[in-house]
Amino acid sequence: MNRPGNDAPPVQVAVIQSSCGESKSANVAATLERLADAAARGAQVVCLQELFHGPYPCQTEDHARFAEAEPIPGPTSQALAQAAGQHGIVIVGSLFERRAAGLYHNTAVVFDADGSTAGLYRKMHIPDDPRYYEKFYFTPGDLGFRSFDTRFGRIGVCVCWDQWFPEAARLTALTGAQILCYPTAIGWLPEEKDEWGASQHLAWETMMRSHAIANGVFVAAANRVGLEGDIQFWGASFVVDPYGNLLGRTGQQAEETLVVECDLSLIDTARIHWPFLRDRRIDAYDGLRKRYLDTP
Amino acid sequence: MNRPGNDAPPVQVAVIQSSCGESKSANVAATLERLADAAARGAQVVCLQELFHGPYPCQTEDHARFAEAEPIPGPTSQALAQAAGQHGIVIVGSLFERRAAGLYHNTAVVFDADGSTAGLYRKMHIPDDPRYYEKFYFTPGDLGFRSFDTRFGRIGVCVCWDQWFPEAARLTALTGAQILCYPTAIGWLPEEKDEWGASQHLAWETMMRSHAIANGVFVAAANRVGLEGDIQFWGASFVVDPYGNLLGRTGQQAEETLVVECDLSLIDTARIHWPFLRDRRIDAYDGLRKRYLDTP
């Protein structure tokens, strides 16, 4: 198979899968260590899990937890920026953002390898399900779907619940993303795991593999691991290529950093062999902006 | 898990996977026999493979092959309508339609269980790849994405290449489809199979499972089987539930009819547990009607 496109060297992409204790400073310090370790292993683009700085805050609706948020820039984002510059790596960091009084977001920041901020993405699709009460905390994003040029490629970010929406992946890919990163916090509930746990995990991975295939991009998903209250976060972070092939997947039990090589020239190769972007019927997609297409 | 929604009995859904010889009358007769067999096994909704009445016509660009097309209604569609009425089954039939002089489509017809026509779908996304020269033959559909009420549920149809487009599945689901049928003709090319065959098949199935999950619908894919010229059609027809769970899959070598039970009340259950339709950001999807979102 010929591989036209750029001759750039492959990019080493990492996902860091962690468990969190109650201490924010300890969680951040542990993540900074893992970033150093990933960089030492050759990682160039590193995706952290959703809200890596603490326990997943949305299992209850608790006004006190808003105190965990920070402005951006703020102490935690600055620590990530410093790490990015120090190690010369791109970092995708997921933060609980305090934008203004009473205005909070679930926000991902892409830090370029010199420590500068390449861009912000504010989670667009906000879930609200038992023990995932995110609509209480997070204002839906108003920046749209985006991607950002970095030293090691153009990085798009969607966050957790966005995973289930093909629209989010498509729009992000159409902005030129080469690697689509998904900081994530998803796990099993005790009353569901035995019967539906395997199916839930497979559906989650299937959706993101489909985004890679449909859009001809690399997808990297970093999930949380460990038991927090009722939720057993299922780990299984992974990276897939533009054909949906699994390049690597972490386990479901332990903290782990996965580093895999991504040949970005495969994006062009995949898309000229599976030319979906060529054939989209943009003249017929108006209905996608509707809630439902009831037939009267 | 509680299952609100309708109390209708489950629906028996079948996919018929065939190989084709050169004789159209023999192919149609064999399919009519398989339809009778499926009905005898309890099938209520039956999906045929793409262009079931003959060898896949698009491996070359040959003006003579347009003679294989028929108007709708025409002899082949009438044979299917008669079979639907005779057996009391819904049939999704894929036909090479001659709509007018020089205007041909790749069209699926949904026949209701009384033999009437529930509706037509004309393939919207038309491929053009080595040995799949469909842009030469088929005018892109102008009916949009649709679904139709039948005796056994509301049926949506997309055709083959549509499989790779999340937009097609989403729009069809938004019209109320409960079962999304994909008549298909996809296979391996000899120069690719050893290295990429398994990955190609997995990507194909992954995409349609993702459509089931993202939209909370049943998906039934009927694929061709057997060697025709250079293409080894890979069979592996399947049906999945709204969680993406595989309900059944045929083999990759032989003709086969799969009949599985689909509990349509699962659609509501799936969607209230995974409420993606609730959370779509229809205010932010304008870009889906664009070819690309270049950043100037």
Side-chain angles (χ1 to χ4, degrees):
Chain A
M1 186 184 284
N2 60 330
R3 295 187 173 176
N6 66 61
D7 296 321
V11 173
Q12 306 295 320
V13 174
V15 288
I16 295 182
Q17 168 174 306
S18 305
S19 57
C20 287
E22 287 299 323
S23 162
K24 183 178 186 173
S25 61
N27 295 325
V28 173
T31 295
L32 293 174
E33 275 184 39
R34 288 183 195 107
L35 284 165
D37 167 65
R41 290 170 57 192
Q44 295 169 310
V45 174
V46 185
C47 181
L48 302 180
Q49 70 202 32
E50 188 182 20
L51 305 174
F52 75 98
H53 43 74
Y56 177 70
C58 310
Q59 288 202 50
T60 60
E61 298 196 352
D62 181 355
H63 293 97
R65 302 209 76 138
F66 284 92
E68 298 171 14
E70 292 181 15
I72 297 174
T76 303
S77 74
Q78 284 165 338
L80 293 179
Q82 187 178 6
Q86 179 187 341
H87 303 301
I89 58 176
V90 171
I91 299 175
V92 177
S94 163
L95 300 162
F96 187 2
E97 179 191 9
R98 184 182 191 276
R99 183 177 178 187
L103 189 60
Y104 295 74
H105 292 284
N106 187 326
T107 300
V109 185
V110 179
F111 300 98
D112 206 348
D114 61 0
S116 65
T117 295
L120 248 69
Y121 167 77
R122 294 195 176 109
K123 187 173 181 174
M124 291 286 285
H125 298 95
I126 310 293
D128 189 296
D129 291 306
R131 278 158 286 191
Y132 294 87
Y133 301 108
E134 295 197 19
K135 288 193 197 297
F136 174 75
Y137 292 97
F138 306 130
T139 306
D142 59 347
L143 296 174
F145 302 94
R146 321 179 76 186
S147 58
F148 311 103
D149 284 320
T150 72
R151 188 184 298 173
F152 300 113
R154 191 166 173 92
I155 311 297
V157 192
C158 291
V159 176
C160 206
W161 192 238
D162 290 325
Q163 287 154 351
W164 302 94
F165 297 82
E167 292 92 341
R170 177 72 91 204
L171 286 164
T172 306
L174 291 182
T175 70
Q178 296 173 298
I179 305 170
L180 183 47
C181 293
Y182 285 95
T184 299
I186 190 168
W188 294 298
L189 301 181
E191 70 272 24
E192 296 183 356
K193 187 185 175 191
D194 284 352
E195 189 167 355
W196 294 291
S199 169
Q200 290 170 343
H201 168 251
L202 181 61
W204 172 81
E205 187 177 286
T206 296
M207 283 308 309
M208 282 181 282
R209 292 174 83 152
S210 82
H211 301 330
I213 298 162
N215 296 292
V217 294
F218 288 85
V219 167
N223 191 26
R224 184 180 289 257
V225 74
L227 186 67
E228 295 179 16
D230 276 344
I231 306 181
Q232 183 184 342
F233 293 97
W234 68 47
S237 306
F238 65 89
V239 181
V240 294
D241 75 12
Y243 301 98
N245 296 312
L246 202 60
L247 301 179
R249 183 202 285 133
T250 63
Q252 300 203 316
Q253 306 294 332
E255 300 191 321
E256 193 174 339
T257 297
L258 172 73
V259 186
V260 298
E261 180 170 296
C262 296
D263 173 2
L264 300 188
S265 75
L266 268 184
I267 294 168
D268 199 47
T269 308
R271 289 180 182 173
I272 64 171
H273 283 78
W274 290 353
F276 310 137
L277 296 189
R278 182 193 67 188
D279 290 340
R280 294 177 65 240
R281 287 293 303 272
I282 55 173
D283 60 307
Y285 291 168
D286 279 6
L288 294 169
R289 302 180 305 159
K290 301 287 186 184
R291 187 62 68 201
Y292 201 62
L293 301 169
D294 305 75
T295 48
Chain B
M1 188 183 286
N2 60 330
R3 295 188 172 175
N6 67 61
D7 295 322
V11 174
Q12 306 294 321
V13 174
V15 287
I16 294 182
Q17 168 175 306
S18 305
S19 58
C20 287
E22 286 300 322
S23 161
K24 183 176 186 174
S25 60
N27 295 324
V28 172
T31 294
L32 293 174
E33 274 185 40
R34 288 182 195 107
L35 284 164
D37 166 66
R41 291 170 57 191
Q44 295 168 309
V45 174
V46 185
C47 180
L48 303 181
Q49 70 202 30
E50 187 181 20
L51 306 174
F52 74 98
H53 42 73
Y56 177 70
C58 310
Q59 289 202 51
T60 59
E61 298 195 353
D62 180 355
H63 293 97
R65 302 210 75 137
F66 285 91
E68 298 171 15
E70 293 181 14
I72 297 174
T76 303
S77 75
Q78 283 164 338
L80 294 180
Q82 186 178 6
Q86 177 187 342
H87 303 301
I89 58 176
V90 170
I91 299 175
V92 177
S94 163
L95 299 162
F96 187 2
E97 180 192 7
R98 183 181 191 279
R99 184 178 178 185
L103 189 59
Y104 294 75
H105 293 283
N106 186 326
T107 299
V109 184
V110 180
F111 301 97
D112 205 349
D114 62 358
S116 65
T117 296
L120 248 70
Y121 167 78
R122 294 196 177 109
K123 186 172 182 174
M124 291 286 286
H125 298 96
I126 309 294
D128 189 295
D129 291 305
R131 279 157 286 190
Y132 295 87
Y133 300 108
E134 295 197 18
K135 288 193 195 298
F136 174 75
Y137 293 96
F138 306 130
T139 305
D142 59 347
L143 296 173
F145 302 94
R146 321 179 77 187
S147 58
F148 311 103
D149 284 320
T150 71
R151 187 184 298 174
F152 300 114
R154 191 166 172 91
I155 310 297
V157 192
C158 291
V159 177
C160 205
W161 192 237
D162 291 324
Q163 287 155 351
W164 303 94
F165 297 82
E167 293 93 341
R170 177 72 92 204
L171 285 164
T172 307
L174 291 181
T175 70
Q178 296 173 298
I179 305 169
L180 182 48
C181 293
Y182 285 95
T184 298
I186 190 168
W188 294 298
L189 301 182
E191 69 273 24
E192 296 183 356
K193 187 184 174 191
D194 284 352
E195 189 166 356
W196 294 291
S199 168
Q200 290 170 344
H201 168 252
L202 181 61
W204 172 80
E205 187 178 285
T206 296
M207 283 309 308
M208 281 181 281
R209 293 175 83 151
S210 83
H211 301 330
I213 298 163
N215 296 292
V217 294
F218 288 85
V219 167
N223 190 27
R224 183 180 291 257
V225 74
L227 186 67
E228 296 179 13
D230 275 344
I231 306 181
Q232 182 184 343
F233 292 96
W234 67 49
S237 306
F238 65 89
V239 181
V240 295
D241 75 13
Y243 300 99
N245 297 312
L246 202 59
L247 301 178
R249 183 201 285 133
T250 62
Q252 300 203 315
Q253 305 295 333
E255 299 192 324
E256 192 174 341
T257 297
L258 172 73
V259 185
V260 298
E261 180 171 295
C262 297
D263 174 2
L264 300 188
S265 76
L266 268 183
I267 293 169
D268 200 46
T269 308
R271 290 181 181 173
I272 65 172
H273 283 78
W274 290 353
F276 310 136
L277 295 189
R278 182 193 67 189
D279 290 340
R280 294 177 67 239
R281 288 293 304 272
I282 55 173
D283 60 306
Y285 291 169
D286 279 7
L288 293 170
R289 301 180 306 157
K290 300 286 186 184
R291 186 63 66 201
Y292 201 62
L293 302 169
D294 305 75
T295 47

